[in-house]
Amino acid sequence: MLEVSGLVAGYGQITILREVELRVGQGELVALVGVNGAGKTTLMKTIAGLVSPAAGRISFDGAGLTGRGAERMVQAGVVLVPEGRMVFPRMTVWENLMLGGIHPRPRPHREATLRRVLDLFPRLAERREQKAATMSGGEQQMLAIGRGLMAEPKLLMLDEPSLGLSPLMVQETYAALRRLNAEGLTILLAEQNVKLSLAVSTRGYVLENGCIVLTGASGDLARDPATRKAYLGRL
Amino acid sequence: MSNEVLLQATVQGLQMGAIYALIALSMTLVFSVGGLLNFAHGDFMALAMYGAMVAYVSFKIDAYVVAPIMFIIFFALGVTLFRGLVRPVLAAGVLAGAQLTLGLVFVQENLILVLFGGDYNNVPTVLSNRNLTIPPLVMPWTLIVGSALAAALSIALYVVLLRTDFGRQVRAIAQNRDAAALMGIRIDRIQAIAFGVGIGLLGFTGPVIVAQFTLTPTMGFDLTLIALIVMVIGGIGNFLGSMAGGLIIGVAESLGSLLYGGTVGAMIPYAILVFVLLFRPHGLLGER
């Protein structure tokens, strides 16, 4: 479904990603793990069209989309829930969700999608008229995911959804992701929380200094001595 | 001093305030999409007023008829300027953008000087020299119509920003540009339209309030200064704040010159600016 090959990207003179290879198949939940600064966010942003790659190829459903920009990626069905949630702070929950479905592709079915999103996150329904800035981190994360779903993604990418959340909220967020995946949504999940993300995913990639250094079934990665040593500490 | 005179000055101040509010509101609209402080804002309006003068002198067309045409011309001018000049320069930073608009001040003021000379000009309209008397108030019709149109446009713009998909997209870009891009919002397009509407509103407002002003080549920058004060008092980027700030400055100016005379009165807006910033550094309704 998503194919990334030989991807080189960065900011200005600084190269962050070096020849990244990554694939996500229909219906998969794939984890992208690595320490802070490994290049996860840059990779997610590049796939989402916010950063233009210097070299390499990104294709989705067979169509070449390298460097075509964020609007084209949303059109194709690739939607990123960014790191730090990035909800629109001075807008209500409802406004944030409506903006999630603003693109001409999902816009005609916005109301129906909104009902599904509010079913998934009932708390958002309670907070409909509340300004996003006044909500807790966990609620903002739900809103960010809900907003992403409003764009009717074929591939939902999430960058550090557990960052800064209480353990209970992390559980709730991950339960929602599992449910979405079980319903058939393809998910690419970037996480520093290696243990957690390898536990929910089927396959994983380990990113280190802008290169994919390990890939395989999540269970194998979690048991791999190298991963354990580098990312899981002495567990 | 009698209550009647105070009332008269207050009403007149509110009417001028409605006009200031619209100028500041359109400046806020331009600011909100790219973080651009448009120092040439008042000069666009001056240009529109001179446009109304040409229409009147050369073609005997009344300013009120010219206004909607000017909106369309200035909208197109705004979109073109944004695409061709503002966006490329703004990419180099907000400061470069501000310098560009300062350059536009000189271009426009000298263009006016070259085309129309440095004389003072007044443009009469079909409503000039007619007053509405509602005892104890006597109000010139030009001001009534100009301020009513400005107020109506301000409210319309506010509703559009608050309640429509277009307005939500404008606010989304202002609040988090990257997140807006991730929604698939076509940022360049929304920005160009917002810039065009901001300039277009000046094209409309200039002619409908032309009777209230004496036209000089440098009048634009005075208008910009007032709009800047209004924006800062209300809270930069806050639309409601710009509206409230406009009314405050309008009334303060009017009452100030009545109570303390023209020279001191003209200082009142600046005094209010300092006073507000002392206690509310981000403006009356500004956040963060």
Side-chain angles (χ1 to χ4, degrees), chain B residues 95-131:
Chain B
L95 219 64
Q99 282 175 337
L100 170 72
T101 67
L102 280 171
L104 286 176
V105 172
F106 294 113
V107 170
Q108 294 189 76
E109 292 192 350
N110 286 297
L111 183 72
I112 290 172
L113 201 58
V114 167
L115 291 178
F116 306 105
D119 294 341
Y120 289 17
N121 287 289
N122 282 297
V123 183
T125 72
V126 64
L127 294 175
S128 288
N129 304 319
R130 294 183 197 194
N131 292 322

PDB file of all heavy atoms in Angstrom, chain B residues 95-131:
ATOM      1  N   LEU B  95       9.923  39.748   8.726  1.00  0.00           N
ATOM      2  CA  LEU B  95      10.566  41.055   8.667  1.00  0.00           C
ATOM      3  C   LEU B  95      10.716  41.529   7.222  1.00  0.00           C
ATOM      4  O   LEU B  95      10.473  42.689   6.899  1.00  0.00           O
ATOM      5  CB  LEU B  95      11.938  40.972   9.338  1.00  0.00           C
ATOM      6  CG  LEU B  95      12.309  42.186  10.167  1.00  0.00           C
ATOM      7  CD1 LEU B  95      11.368  42.364  11.341  1.00  0.00           C
ATOM      8  CD2 LEU B  95      13.744  42.087  10.644  1.00  0.00           C
ATOM      9  N   ALA B  96      11.117  40.602   6.353  1.00  0.00           N
ATOM     10  CA  ALA B  96      11.243  40.943   4.934  1.00  0.00           C
ATOM     11  C   ALA B  96       9.889  41.375   4.398  1.00  0.00           C
ATOM     12  O   ALA B  96       9.785  42.331   3.614  1.00  0.00           O
ATOM     13  CB  ALA B  96      11.788  39.749   4.150  1.00  0.00           C
ATOM     14  N   GLY B  97       8.827  40.686   4.845  1.00  0.00           N
ATOM     15  CA  GLY B  97       7.480  41.035   4.422  1.00  0.00           C
ATOM     16  C   GLY B  97       7.102  42.442   4.855  1.00  0.00           C
ATOM     17  O   GLY B  97       6.542  43.222   4.082  1.00  0.00           O
ATOM     18  N   ALA B  98       7.443  42.788   6.103  1.00  0.00           N
ATOM     19  CA  ALA B  98       7.134  44.124   6.612  1.00  0.00           C
ATOM     20  C   ALA B  98       7.893  45.177   5.810  1.00  0.00           C
ATOM     21  O   ALA B  98       7.355  46.240   5.475  1.00  0.00           O
ATOM     22  CB  ALA B  98       7.485  44.215   8.091  1.00  0.00           C
ATOM     23  N   GLN B  99       9.143  44.865   5.462  1.00  0.00           N
ATOM     24  CA  GLN B  99       9.919  45.812   4.661  1.00  0.00           C
ATOM     25  C   GLN B  99       9.298  46.008   3.290  1.00  0.00           C
ATOM     26  O   GLN B  99       9.266  47.113   2.756  1.00  0.00           O
ATOM     27  CB  GLN B  99      11.362  45.323   4.512  1.00  0.00           C
ATOM     28  CG  GLN B  99      12.175  45.587   5.764  1.00  0.00           C
ATOM     29  CD  GLN B  99      13.567  45.004   5.694  1.00  0.00           C
ATOM     30  OE1 GLN B  99      13.806  44.068   4.933  1.00  0.00           O
ATOM     31  NE2 GLN B  99      14.461  45.530   6.483  1.00  0.00           N
ATOM     32  N   LEU B 100       8.804  44.899   2.735  1.00  0.00           N
ATOM     33  CA  LEU B 100       8.142  44.996   1.441  1.00  0.00           C
ATOM     34  C   LEU B 100       6.964  45.954   1.512  1.00  0.00           C
ATOM     35  O   LEU B 100       6.782  46.810   0.633  1.00  0.00           O
ATOM     36  CB  LEU B 100       7.665  43.607   0.995  1.00  0.00           C
ATOM     37  CG  LEU B 100       6.755  43.601  -0.227  1.00  0.00           C
ATOM     38  CD1 LEU B 100       7.549  43.926  -1.482  1.00  0.00           C
ATOM     39  CD2 LEU B 100       6.050  42.268  -0.384  1.00  0.00           C
ATOM     40  N   THR B 101       6.155  45.828   2.582  1.00  0.00           N
ATOM     41  CA  THR B 101       4.975  46.696   2.665  1.00  0.00           C
ATOM     42  C   THR B 101       5.387  48.147   2.897  1.00  0.00           C
ATOM     43  O   THR B 101       4.729  49.064   2.422  1.00  0.00           O
ATOM     44  CB  THR B 101       3.999  46.232   3.774  1.00  0.00           C
ATOM     45  OG1 THR B 101       4.616  46.416   5.054  1.00  0.00           O
ATOM     46  CG2 THR B 101       3.596  44.790   3.582  1.00  0.00           C
ATOM     47  N   LEU B 102       6.500  48.364   3.611  1.00  0.00           N
ATOM     48  CA  LEU B 102       7.006  49.734   3.748  1.00  0.00           C
ATOM     49  C   LEU B 102       7.398  50.279   2.372  1.00  0.00           C
ATOM     50  O   LEU B 102       7.156  51.451   2.066  1.00  0.00           O
ATOM     51  CB  LEU B 102       8.204  49.763   4.695  1.00  0.00           C
ATOM     52  CG  LEU B 102       7.858  49.748   6.179  1.00  0.00           C
ATOM     53  CD1 LEU B 102       9.103  49.566   7.033  1.00  0.00           C
ATOM     54  CD2 LEU B 102       7.137  51.037   6.579  1.00  0.00           C
ATOM     55  N   GLY B 103       7.974  49.412   1.556  1.00  0.00           N
ATOM     56  CA  GLY B 103       8.295  49.816   0.189  1.00  0.00           C
ATOM     57  C   GLY B 103       7.039  50.178  -0.578  1.00  0.00           C
ATOM     58  O   GLY B 103       7.010  51.169  -1.320  1.00  0.00           O
ATOM     59  N   LEU B 104       5.979  49.398  -0.368  1.00  0.00           N
ATOM     60  CA  LEU B 104       4.715  49.678  -1.055  1.00  0.00           C
ATOM     61  C   LEU B 104       4.145  51.030  -0.643  1.00  0.00           C
ATOM     62  O   LEU B 104       3.446  51.684  -1.415  1.00  0.00           O
ATOM     63  CB  LEU B 104       3.701  48.563  -0.769  1.00  0.00           C
ATOM     64  CG  LEU B 104       3.943  47.235  -1.478  1.00  0.00           C
ATOM     65  CD1 LEU B 104       2.917  46.198  -1.035  1.00  0.00           C
ATOM     66  CD2 LEU B 104       3.885  47.414  -2.990  1.00  0.00           C
ATOM     67  N   VAL B 105       4.422  51.446   0.611  1.00  0.00           N
ATOM     68  CA  VAL B 105       3.988  52.769   1.056  1.00  0.00           C
ATOM     69  C   VAL B 105       4.564  53.833   0.130  1.00  0.00           C
ATOM     70  O   VAL B 105       3.846  54.680  -0.396  1.00  0.00           O
ATOM     71  CB  VAL B 105       4.441  53.037   2.513  1.00  0.00           C
ATOM     72  CG1 VAL B 105       4.160  54.491   2.898  1.00  0.00           C
ATOM     73  CG2 VAL B 105       3.746  52.084   3.474  1.00  0.00           C
ATOM     74  N   PHE B 106       5.884  53.762  -0.095  1.00  0.00           N
ATOM     75  CA  PHE B 106       6.536  54.772  -0.934  1.00  0.00           C
ATOM     76  C   PHE B 106       6.036  54.695  -2.363  1.00  0.00           C
ATOM     77  O   PHE B 106       5.795  55.721  -3.001  1.00  0.00           O
ATOM     78  CB  PHE B 106       8.056  54.594  -0.883  1.00  0.00           C
ATOM     79  CG  PHE B 106       8.616  54.869   0.484  1.00  0.00           C
ATOM     80  CD1 PHE B 106       9.167  53.862   1.242  1.00  0.00           C
ATOM     81  CD2 PHE B 106       8.543  56.156   1.015  1.00  0.00           C
ATOM     82  CE1 PHE B 106       9.660  54.125   2.515  1.00  0.00           C
ATOM     83  CE2 PHE B 106       9.033  56.422   2.283  1.00  0.00           C
ATOM     84  CZ  PHE B 106       9.598  55.406   3.036  1.00  0.00           C
ATOM     85  N   VAL B 107       5.892  53.481  -2.859  1.00  0.00           N
ATOM     86  CA  VAL B 107       5.424  53.321  -4.232  1.00  0.00           C
ATOM     87  C   VAL B 107       4.051  53.976  -4.394  1.00  0.00           C
ATOM     88  O   VAL B 107       3.821  54.776  -5.317  1.00  0.00           O
ATOM     89  CB  VAL B 107       5.357  51.829  -4.616  1.00  0.00           C
ATOM     90  CG1 VAL B 107       4.639  51.655  -5.953  1.00  0.00           C
ATOM     91  CG2 VAL B 107       6.758  51.230  -4.677  1.00  0.00           C
ATOM     92  N   GLN B 108       3.138  53.686  -3.477  1.00  0.00           N
ATOM     93  CA  GLN B 108       1.778  54.191  -3.632  1.00  0.00           C
ATOM     94  C   GLN B 108       1.704  55.693  -3.402  1.00  0.00           C
ATOM     95  O   GLN B 108       1.029  56.415  -4.138  1.00  0.00           O
ATOM     96  CB  GLN B 108       0.831  53.452  -2.680  1.00  0.00           C
ATOM     97  CG  GLN B 108       0.692  51.989  -3.047  1.00  0.00           C
ATOM     98  CD  GLN B 108      -0.400  51.314  -2.255  1.00  0.00           C
ATOM     99  OE1 GLN B 108      -1.562  51.503  -2.527  1.00  0.00           O
ATOM    100  NE2 GLN B 108      -0.023  50.531  -1.273  1.00  0.00           N
ATOM    101  N   GLU B 109       2.392  56.168  -2.366  1.00  0.00           N
ATOM    102  CA  GLU B 109       2.311  57.598  -2.072  1.00  0.00           C
ATOM    103  C   GLU B 109       2.917  58.413  -3.211  1.00  0.00           C
ATOM    104  O   GLU B 109       2.395  59.467  -3.583  1.00  0.00           O
ATOM    105  CB  GLU B 109       2.996  57.901  -0.736  1.00  0.00           C
ATOM    106  CG  GLU B 109       2.208  57.296   0.427  1.00  0.00           C
ATOM    107  CD  GLU B 109       2.645  57.784   1.799  1.00  0.00           C
ATOM    108  OE1 GLU B 109       3.691  58.456   1.887  1.00  0.00           O
ATOM    109  OE2 GLU B 109       1.927  57.484   2.768  1.00  0.00           O
ATOM    110  N   ASN B 110       4.003  57.922  -3.782  1.00  0.00           N
ATOM    111  CA  ASN B 110       4.618  58.660  -4.887  1.00  0.00           C
ATOM    112  C   ASN B 110       3.834  58.508  -6.176  1.00  0.00           C
ATOM    113  O   ASN B 110       3.794  59.427  -6.999  1.00  0.00           O
ATOM    114  CB  ASN B 110       6.070  58.221  -5.063  1.00  0.00           C
ATOM    115  CG  ASN B 110       6.936  58.790  -3.953  1.00  0.00           C
ATOM    116  OD1 ASN B 110       7.076  59.992  -3.826  1.00  0.00           O
ATOM    117  ND2 ASN B 110       7.460  57.926  -3.111  1.00  0.00           N
ATOM    118  N   LEU B 111       3.180  57.354  -6.331  1.00  0.00           N
ATOM    119  CA  LEU B 111       2.308  57.176  -7.487  1.00  0.00           C
ATOM    120  C   LEU B 111       1.185  58.217  -7.441  1.00  0.00           C
ATOM    121  O   LEU B 111       0.870  58.868  -8.455  1.00  0.00           O
ATOM    122  CB  LEU B 111       1.741  55.752  -7.474  1.00  0.00           C
ATOM    123  CG  LEU B 111       0.862  55.368  -8.658  1.00  0.00           C
ATOM    124  CD1 LEU B 111       1.720  55.188  -9.903  1.00  0.00           C
ATOM    125  CD2 LEU B 111       0.094  54.071  -8.366  1.00  0.00           C
ATOM    126  N   ILE B 112       0.607  58.377  -6.260  1.00  0.00           N
ATOM    127  CA  ILE B 112      -0.461  59.365  -6.095  1.00  0.00           C
ATOM    128  C   ILE B 112       0.074  60.775  -6.366  1.00  0.00           C
ATOM    129  O   ILE B 112      -0.562  61.575  -7.061  1.00  0.00           O
ATOM    130  CB  ILE B 112      -1.046  59.269  -4.665  1.00  0.00           C
ATOM    131  CG1 ILE B 112      -1.834  57.964  -4.502  1.00  0.00           C
ATOM    132  CG2 ILE B 112      -1.967  60.457  -4.378  1.00  0.00           C
ATOM    133  CD1 ILE B 112      -2.289  57.685  -3.090  1.00  0.00           C
ATOM    134  N   LEU B 113       1.255  61.043  -5.843  1.00  0.00           N
ATOM    135  CA  LEU B 113       1.880  62.353  -6.034  1.00  0.00           C
ATOM    136  C   LEU B 113       2.091  62.643  -7.523  1.00  0.00           C
ATOM    137  O   LEU B 113       1.805  63.729  -8.023  1.00  0.00           O
ATOM    138  CB  LEU B 113       3.217  62.384  -5.286  1.00  0.00           C
ATOM    139  CG  LEU B 113       3.803  63.743  -4.937  1.00  0.00           C
ATOM    140  CD1 LEU B 113       2.826  64.549  -4.083  1.00  0.00           C
ATOM    141  CD2 LEU B 113       5.127  63.575  -4.196  1.00  0.00           C
ATOM    142  N   VAL B 114       2.585  61.643  -8.247  1.00  0.00           N
ATOM    143  CA  VAL B 114       2.856  61.815  -9.670  1.00  0.00           C
ATOM    144  C   VAL B 114       1.549  62.001 -10.444  1.00  0.00           C
ATOM    145  O   VAL B 114       1.429  62.883 -11.300  1.00  0.00           O
ATOM    146  CB  VAL B 114       3.636  60.602 -10.226  1.00  0.00           C
ATOM    147  CG1 VAL B 114       3.641  60.622 -11.751  1.00  0.00           C
ATOM    148  CG2 VAL B 114       5.053  60.597  -9.679  1.00  0.00           C
ATOM    149  N   LEU B 115       0.554  61.210 -10.123  1.00  0.00           N
ATOM    150  CA  LEU B 115      -0.690  61.234 -10.888  1.00  0.00           C
ATOM    151  C   LEU B 115      -1.566  62.429 -10.543  1.00  0.00           C
ATOM    152  O   LEU B 115      -2.200  63.022 -11.417  1.00  0.00           O
ATOM    153  CB  LEU B 115      -1.483  59.943 -10.650  1.00  0.00           C
ATOM    154  CG  LEU B 115      -0.895  58.663 -11.237  1.00  0.00           C
ATOM    155  CD1 LEU B 115      -1.766  57.470 -10.870  1.00  0.00           C
ATOM    156  CD2 LEU B 115      -0.763  58.764 -12.745  1.00  0.00           C
ATOM    157  N   PHE B 116      -1.627  62.786  -9.252  1.00  0.00           N
ATOM    158  CA  PHE B 116      -2.617  63.777  -8.829  1.00  0.00           C
ATOM    159  C   PHE B 116      -1.999  65.023  -8.212  1.00  0.00           C
ATOM    160  O   PHE B 116      -2.714  65.945  -7.845  1.00  0.00           O
ATOM    161  CB  PHE B 116      -3.594  63.154  -7.825  1.00  0.00           C
ATOM    162  CG  PHE B 116      -4.245  61.897  -8.334  1.00  0.00           C
ATOM    163  CD1 PHE B 116      -3.848  60.660  -7.874  1.00  0.00           C
ATOM    164  CD2 PHE B 116      -5.237  61.972  -9.300  1.00  0.00           C
ATOM    165  CE1 PHE B 116      -4.437  59.507  -8.346  1.00  0.00           C
ATOM    166  CE2 PHE B 116      -5.833  60.821  -9.783  1.00  0.00           C
ATOM    167  CZ  PHE B 116      -5.435  59.582  -9.316  1.00  0.00           C
ATOM    168  N   GLY B 117      -0.679  65.054  -8.052  1.00  0.00           N
ATOM    169  CA  GLY B 117      -0.052  66.206  -7.432  1.00  0.00           C
ATOM    170  C   GLY B 117      -0.246  66.214  -5.930  1.00  0.00           C
ATOM    171  O   GLY B 117      -0.920  65.349  -5.370  1.00  0.00           O
ATOM    172  N   GLY B 118       0.345  67.209  -5.280  1.00  0.00           N
ATOM    173  CA  GLY B 118       0.328  67.226  -3.827  1.00  0.00           C
ATOM    174  C   GLY B 118      -0.803  68.033  -3.230  1.00  0.00           C
ATOM    175  O   GLY B 118      -0.867  68.223  -2.019  1.00  0.00           O
ATOM    176  N   ASP B 119      -1.737  68.527  -4.074  1.00  0.00           N
ATOM    177  CA  ASP B 119      -2.817  69.365  -3.548  1.00  0.00           C
ATOM    178  C   ASP B 119      -3.781  68.571  -2.671  1.00  0.00           C
ATOM    179  O   ASP B 119      -3.901  67.360  -2.800  1.00  0.00           O
ATOM    180  CB  ASP B 119      -3.618  69.965  -4.710  1.00  0.00           C
ATOM    181  CG  ASP B 119      -2.766  70.940  -5.502  1.00  0.00           C
ATOM    182  OD1 ASP B 119      -1.747  71.389  -4.953  1.00  0.00           O
ATOM    183  OD2 ASP B 119      -3.118  71.207  -6.670  1.00  0.00           O
ATOM    184  N   TYR B 120      -4.468  69.313  -1.817  1.00  0.00           N
ATOM    185  CA  TYR B 120      -5.538  68.698  -1.033  1.00  0.00           C
ATOM    186  C   TYR B 120      -6.771  68.586  -1.915  1.00  0.00           C
ATOM    187  O   TYR B 120      -7.070  69.478  -2.696  1.00  0.00           O
ATOM    188  CB  TYR B 120      -5.866  69.552   0.194  1.00  0.00           C
ATOM    189  CG  TYR B 120      -4.797  69.517   1.255  1.00  0.00           C
ATOM    190  CD1 TYR B 120      -3.502  69.076   0.971  1.00  0.00           C
ATOM    191  CD2 TYR B 120      -5.090  69.919   2.553  1.00  0.00           C
ATOM    192  CE1 TYR B 120      -2.531  69.052   1.954  1.00  0.00           C
ATOM    193  CE2 TYR B 120      -4.117  69.885   3.549  1.00  0.00           C
ATOM    194  CZ  TYR B 120      -2.841  69.453   3.239  1.00  0.00           C
ATOM    195  OH  TYR B 120      -1.885  69.413   4.204  1.00  0.00           O
ATOM    196  N   ASN B 121      -7.457  67.489  -1.811  1.00  0.00           N
ATOM    197  CA  ASN B 121      -8.655  67.297  -2.629  1.00  0.00           C
ATOM    198  C   ASN B 121      -9.815  66.839  -1.764  1.00  0.00           C
ATOM    199  O   ASN B 121      -9.637  66.092  -0.810  1.00  0.00           O
ATOM    200  CB  ASN B 121      -8.404  66.219  -3.693  1.00  0.00           C
ATOM    201  CG  ASN B 121      -7.502  66.723  -4.797  1.00  0.00           C
ATOM    202  OD1 ASN B 121      -7.906  67.544  -5.606  1.00  0.00           O
ATOM    203  ND2 ASN B 121      -6.268  66.252  -4.801  1.00  0.00           N
ATOM    204  N   ASN B 122     -11.003  67.319  -2.149  1.00  0.00           N
ATOM    205  CA  ASN B 122     -12.211  66.798  -1.521  1.00  0.00           C
ATOM    206  C   ASN B 122     -13.110  66.214  -2.593  1.00  0.00           C
ATOM    207  O   ASN B 122     -13.217  66.768  -3.687  1.00  0.00           O
ATOM    208  CB  ASN B 122     -12.947  67.912  -0.767  1.00  0.00           C
ATOM    209  CG  ASN B 122     -12.264  68.204   0.562  1.00  0.00           C
ATOM    210  OD1 ASN B 122     -12.194  67.349   1.433  1.00  0.00           O
ATOM    211  ND2 ASN B 122     -11.728  69.407   0.690  1.00  0.00           N
ATOM    212  N   VAL B 123     -13.692  65.093  -2.286  1.00  0.00           N
ATOM    213  CA  VAL B 123     -14.572  64.439  -3.249  1.00  0.00           C
ATOM    214  C   VAL B 123     -15.992  64.464  -2.697  1.00  0.00           C
ATOM    215  O   VAL B 123     -16.288  63.808  -1.713  1.00  0.00           O
ATOM    216  CB  VAL B 123     -14.138  62.982  -3.490  1.00  0.00           C
ATOM    217  CG1 VAL B 123     -15.025  62.345  -4.550  1.00  0.00           C
ATOM    218  CG2 VAL B 123     -12.686  62.910  -3.886  1.00  0.00           C
ATOM    219  N   PRO B 124     -16.870  65.238  -3.320  1.00  0.00           N
ATOM    220  CA  PRO B 124     -18.258  65.235  -2.855  1.00  0.00           C
ATOM    221  C   PRO B 124     -18.992  63.986  -3.334  1.00  0.00           C
ATOM    222  O   PRO B 124     -18.610  63.376  -4.335  1.00  0.00           O
ATOM    223  CB  PRO B 124     -18.844  66.488  -3.504  1.00  0.00           C
ATOM    224  CG  PRO B 124     -18.010  66.717  -4.717  1.00  0.00           C
ATOM    225  CD  PRO B 124     -16.646  66.120  -4.466  1.00  0.00           C
ATOM    226  N   THR B 125     -19.993  63.577  -2.595  1.00  0.00           N
ATOM    227  CA  THR B 125     -20.839  62.480  -3.045  1.00  0.00           C
ATOM    228  C   THR B 125     -22.282  62.991  -3.086  1.00  0.00           C
ATOM    229  O   THR B 125     -22.560  64.132  -2.686  1.00  0.00           O
ATOM    230  CB  THR B 125     -20.781  61.281  -2.091  1.00  0.00           C
ATOM    231  OG1 THR B 125     -21.473  61.624  -0.895  1.00  0.00           O
ATOM    232  CG2 THR B 125     -19.354  60.899  -1.760  1.00  0.00           C
ATOM    233  N   VAL B 126     -23.138  62.142  -3.532  1.00  0.00           N
ATOM    234  CA  VAL B 126     -24.539  62.511  -3.681  1.00  0.00           C
ATOM    235  C   VAL B 126     -25.147  62.886  -2.323  1.00  0.00           C
ATOM    236  O   VAL B 126     -26.138  63.609  -2.245  1.00  0.00           O
ATOM    237  CB  VAL B 126     -25.312  61.361  -4.371  1.00  0.00           C
ATOM    238  CG1 VAL B 126     -25.326  60.107  -3.516  1.00  0.00           C
ATOM    239  CG2 VAL B 126     -26.711  61.775  -4.743  1.00  0.00           C
ATOM    240  N   LEU B 127     -24.527  62.415  -1.243  1.00  0.00           N
ATOM    241  CA  LEU B 127     -25.081  62.672   0.083  1.00  0.00           C
ATOM    242  C   LEU B 127     -24.404  63.841   0.800  1.00  0.00           C
ATOM    243  O   LEU B 127     -24.778  64.176   1.922  1.00  0.00           O
ATOM    244  CB  LEU B 127     -24.939  61.421   0.964  1.00  0.00           C
ATOM    245  CG  LEU B 127     -25.755  60.200   0.541  1.00  0.00           C
ATOM    246  CD1 LEU B 127     -25.422  59.010   1.433  1.00  0.00           C
ATOM    247  CD2 LEU B 127     -27.242  60.499   0.601  1.00  0.00           C
ATOM    248  N   SER B 128     -23.400  64.446   0.167  1.00  0.00           N
ATOM    249  CA  SER B 128     -22.660  65.512   0.839  1.00  0.00           C
ATOM    250  C   SER B 128     -23.571  66.677   1.200  1.00  0.00           C
ATOM    251  O   SER B 128     -24.546  66.980   0.495  1.00  0.00           O
ATOM    252  CB  SER B 128     -21.528  66.016  -0.063  1.00  0.00           C
ATOM    253  OG  SER B 128     -20.515  65.047  -0.119  1.00  0.00           O
ATOM    254  N   ASN B 129     -23.239  67.343   2.309  1.00  0.00           N
ATOM    255  CA  ASN B 129     -23.965  68.521   2.789  1.00  0.00           C
ATOM    256  C   ASN B 129     -25.420  68.239   3.141  1.00  0.00           C
ATOM    257  O   ASN B 129     -26.252  69.146   3.137  1.00  0.00           O
ATOM    258  CB  ASN B 129     -23.904  69.662   1.757  1.00  0.00           C
ATOM    259  CG  ASN B 129     -22.474  70.008   1.424  1.00  0.00           C
ATOM    260  OD1 ASN B 129     -21.619  70.045   2.325  1.00  0.00           O
ATOM    261  ND2 ASN B 129     -22.190  70.209   0.148  1.00  0.00           N
ATOM    262  N   ARG B 130     -25.724  67.016   3.421  1.00  0.00           N
ATOM    263  CA  ARG B 130     -27.069  66.728   3.926  1.00  0.00           C
ATOM    264  C   ARG B 130     -26.931  66.126   5.314  1.00  0.00           C
ATOM    265  O   ARG B 130     -26.061  65.285   5.539  1.00  0.00           O
ATOM    266  CB  ARG B 130     -27.793  65.720   3.039  1.00  0.00           C
ATOM    267  CG  ARG B 130     -28.073  66.274   1.660  1.00  0.00           C
ATOM    268  CD  ARG B 130     -28.846  65.260   0.884  1.00  0.00           C
ATOM    269  NE  ARG B 130     -28.767  65.584  -0.535  1.00  0.00           N
ATOM    270  CZ  ARG B 130     -29.551  65.043  -1.438  1.00  0.00           C
ATOM    271  NH1 ARG B 130     -30.449  64.159  -1.078  1.00  0.00           N
ATOM    272  NH2 ARG B 130     -29.434  65.382  -2.702  1.00  0.00           N
ATOM    273  N   ASN B 131     -27.777  66.567   6.191  1.00  0.00           N
ATOM    274  CA  ASN B 131     -27.711  66.082   7.562  1.00  0.00           C
ATOM    275  C   ASN B 131     -29.008  65.414   7.960  1.00  0.00           C
ATOM    276  O   ASN B 131     -30.079  65.754   7.460  1.00  0.00           O
ATOM    277  CB  ASN B 131     -27.436  67.236   8.533  1.00  0.00           C
ATOM    278  CG  ASN B 131     -26.040  67.784   8.323  1.00  0.00           C
ATOM    279  OD1 ASN B 131     -25.099  67.039   8.071  1.00  0.00           O
ATOM    280  ND2 ASN B 131     -25.922  69.102   8.394  1.00  0.00           N
TER     281      ASN B 131
END
